[in-house]
Amino acid sequence: GINAEYMGKVDHTVERAKAEGGLPLEGFKTAEDFVKAIKTPRKIILLVMAGKPVDDTIAMLSQHLQPGDLLIDGGNEWFPNTLRRAKELEPKGILFMGMGISGGEEGARNGPSLMPGGPPGAYEMVEPIITKCAAQVDDGACTFNIGGVGSGNYVKMIHNGIEYGDMQLIAEAYDILHNAGGLTNTELASVFTQWNDGELKSFLIEITAKIFDKKDDIADGWVVDKILDKTGMKGTGRWTIQEAAERNCPASVMAAALDARYVSARKEERVAASSVLQGPSPTVLPQEEKQKLIDQVRQALYAAKIVSYAQGMNLIREAGKQLGWDINLGECARIWKGGCIIRAVFLDRIKLAYQRNEQLANLLVDPDFATELNARQLAWRKVVALALEHGIPCPAFSGALAYYDSYRREKLPANLTQAQRDFFGGHTYERTDRPGLFHCRWSEHHFDIGDLSGRTKGNL
């Protein structure tokens, strides 16, 4: 049966809805009564913890649903689970959609970014509802039909991976400005406030300025200085990197952000290592160089953000190709402009880049973004070099720069790596001067090991 605590929560929620504006909310004590109260075809959104709670809720509701009804999972779910659930509900004729939701507490009140992906016809069933619920920006509601089953969860997963990268880049900018530049929390609040009036304007930059400005109300000083340097996570960042490996897509910024969280979690180990391992002696730049550093970090942060978003968009596109989803990358950028955690003014420019060229191979080579990267790459390098000189880790800044340098080079040292693979494993190689696959007798220990087509069978 239904326990008393659950029934009490239902009553409390209904009472709260009435108190906060007379909202037309009805409460039900059983799944059967709830389902029967909804007109067919039913549209039901689940907002429960990912994993088993979703399966349990589906099992509870589905026994009362009819063919043509639609269940929508609005949690941060691993997209293969959405594919599985949709398949399991097919014999009953029940439609299943995964819908990524981003916005936090503010989005819950004022409209989030909604990323739905489901079977044919499912989006049309809920489009009038979710376009009203979503955040509204200058070019429409922050939602659109992402694609097939699982695609909504996938795009939300990449959104969260980009969010990881954004947050890590901001943390590294803070570390450099504070420990190499000597900026106080008051100065940092002022810097981030100024940045939020320009090209870096975004929700994360805005709240960072507010964080640096917040005095502690239970002790002296600032709240940020009292927070333990251990970053939590729920799993979407890890899923993003797993997917990047699965799809053969570089994701250096997001991977650096994930690694940084893993290292931060090892607080006791770091404390012990700090008395054993050595680095450069802490120094602070002269006062007259402070403003120059601030400007260089701003340029580096903007350039690295472009790389992070480029990697995320490329991963969405590659997954779309492999999984049969036709995902509009420009629309993805558009619906992230409002409601969600990574909302930023430069998403409008990403949208325009894909509108100019739907087949754009990489945001880095869009003419506008390429011009900006070229103009900022020298400052970017100086920031990374300064961080290394001061012993300040900047894996996201440096990972983004390494990707930029790798992508812009016509020739990489991969020829040597492939030669090594052929030496120890007979994996063959392509040549620059003629077509075909080749294997070299590198030494007296290398012999003819059979027909080339046989040795390369299985994509060795």
Side-chain angles (χ1 to χ4, degrees):
I2 304 297
N3 63 40
E5 181 183 3
Y6 171 82
M7 296 175 68
K9 287 183 177 179
V10 172
D11 293 336
H12 173 74
T13 302
V14 172
E15 291 170 3
R16 183 178 173 186
K18 290 180 180 179
E20 295 186 16
L23 301 176
L25 185 68
E26 295 183 50
F28 297 90
K29 305 296 175 64
T30 70
E32 183 177 8
D33 289 344
F34 169 67
V35 171
K36 286 182 177 179
I38 304 172
K39 290 190 295 185
T40 58
R42 302 175 179 89
K43 286 83 69 174
I44 300 175
I45 297 179
L46 312 180
L47 291 172
V48 298
M49 186 179 297
K52 188 175 182 299
V54 178
D55 288 317
D56 292 344
T57 305
I58 291 172
M60 179 176 63
L61 294 172
S62 62
Q63 58 186 313
H64 306 294
L65 296 174
Q66 299 174 352
D69 289 344
L70 171 64
L71 284 176
I72 305 168
D73 177 18
N76 274 335
E77 187 57 89
W78 181 222
F79 79 95
N81 286 337
T82 299
L83 293 170
R84 169 181 60 80
R85 289 163 183 151
K87 195 73 175 175
E88 291 171 350
L89 289 168
E90 274 184 9
K92 298 181 178 181
I94 300 171
L95 303 176
F96 188 74
M97 169 188 283
M99 181 169 70
I101 302 176
S102 177
E105 295 178 357
E106 184 178 336
R109 292 286 182 174
N110 302 313
S113 176
L114 300 174
M115 295 156 256
Y123 177 78
E124 287 72 20
M125 291 175 65
V126 294
E127 188 271 341
I129 301 171
I130 64 175
T131 51
K132 291 182 180 179
C133 293
Q136 307 293 318
V137 291
D138 58 345
D139 48 7
C142 291
T143 188
F144 80 106
N145 187 7
I146 302 289
V149 176
S151 62
N153 297 113
Y154 201 97
V155 168
K156 175 53 165 53
M157 176 189 70
I158 302 303
H159 164 285
N160 285 19
I162 292 172
E163 179 185 308
Y164 272 50
D166 264 2
M167 295 172 71
Q168 179 62 26
L169 288 167
I170 292 171
E172 292 176 15
Y174 155 56
D175 202 6
I176 294 166
L177 291 173
H178 180 59
N179 289 304
L183 271 71
T184 65
N185 287 334
T186 300
E187 290 172 322
L188 286 164
S190 177
V191 166
F192 276 85
T193 299
Q194 292 172 24
W195 285 356
N196 199 48
D197 288 332
E199 63 191 9
L200 290 171
K201 183 178 177 61
S202 64
F203 173 71
L204 286 172
I205 293 292
E206 176 188 346
I207 68 170
T208 301
K210 293 178 180 179
I211 288 169
F212 285 128
D213 201 37
K214 184 66 174 177
K215 292 284 188 68
D216 197 345
D217 57 0
I218 59 175
D220 293 335
W222 282 259
V223 175
V224 68
D225 295 330
K226 303 296 194 302
I227 297 175
L228 185 66
D229 56 325
K230 289 175 64 174
T231 306
M233 68 188 89
K234 292 186 177 179
T236 48
R238 183 178 69 251
W239 295 342
T240 301
I241 302 310
Q242 290 173 346
E243 268 298 294
E246 184 69 24
R247 309 296 166 194
N248 296 322
C249 283
S252 56
V253 180
M254 293 177 280
L258 187 63
D259 283 348
R261 294 195 183 196
Y262 291 151
V263 174
S264 78
R266 288 158 171 77
K267 176 66 175 180
E268 293 182 1
E269 293 180 32
R270 291 189 287 114
V271 170
S274 67
S275 63
V276 178
L277 303 177
Q278 297 181 351
S281 299
T283 57
V284 175
L285 293 177
Q287 180 67 27
E288 60 269 19
E289 295 185 25
K290 188 179 292 188
Q291 188 55 50
K292 182 179 180 182
L293 175 63
I294 291 171
D295 186 61
Q296 290 174 339
V297 172
R298 175 188 59 78
Q299 294 185 60
L301 181 55
Y302 186 76
K305 278 171 63 74
I306 295 173
V307 169
S308 182
Y309 280 75
Q311 292 177 340
M313 290 299 191
N314 283 354
L315 183 47
I316 292 174
R317 177 171 52 203
E318 190 58 35
K321 289 179 181 177
Q322 295 182 26
L323 297 170
W325 301 325
D326 183 18
I327 300 178
N328 186 321
L329 298 182
E331 277 293 280
C332 287
R334 186 191 67 79
I335 68 170
W336 290 343
K337 287 168 52 181
C340 71
I341 306 304
I342 64 170
R343 60 185 183 268
V345 292
F346 99 135
L347 282 163
D348 223 355
R349 306 189 56 208
I350 294 177
K351 179 194 75 171
L352 293 174
Y354 286 112
Q355 286 181 344
R356 284 192 295 267
N357 181 4
E358 292 183 0
Q359 304 304 315
L360 184 65
N362 194 308
L363 278 175
L364 273 60
V365 296
D366 170 76
D368 286 354
F369 282 123
T371 298
E372 294 190 327
L373 287 167
N374 290 337
R376 289 162 175 76
Q377 55 93 16
L378 184 58
W380 192 2
R381 297 180 195 284
K382 289 182 178 179
V383 168
V384 171
L386 177 71
L388 296 177
E389 288 175 3
H390 283 72
I392 298 172
C394 59
F397 271 131
S398 58
L401 182 57
Y403 175 80
Y404 169 82
D405 280 335
S406 295
Y407 196 75
R408 70 177 181 80
R409 287 185 62 186
E410 182 178 348
K411 185 174 174 59
L412 293 169
N415 54 321
L416 176 58
T417 306
Q418 191 61 21
Q420 292 170 328
R421 295 184 73 242
D422 188 58
F423 191 107
F424 65 66
H427 293 298
T428 75
Y429 53 86
E430 296 176 85
R431 294 179 63 98
T432 59
D433 58 352
R434 63 198 68 194
L437 294 175
F438 297 85
H439 171 61
C440 180
R441 295 188 63 180
W442 297 98
S443 73
E444 67 274 12
H445 302 293
H446 290 83
F447 297 96
D448 185 356
I449 56 175
D451 179 73
L452 184 64
S453 61
R455 287 189 283 112
T456 59
K457 188 176 182 181
N459 194 29
L460 292 176

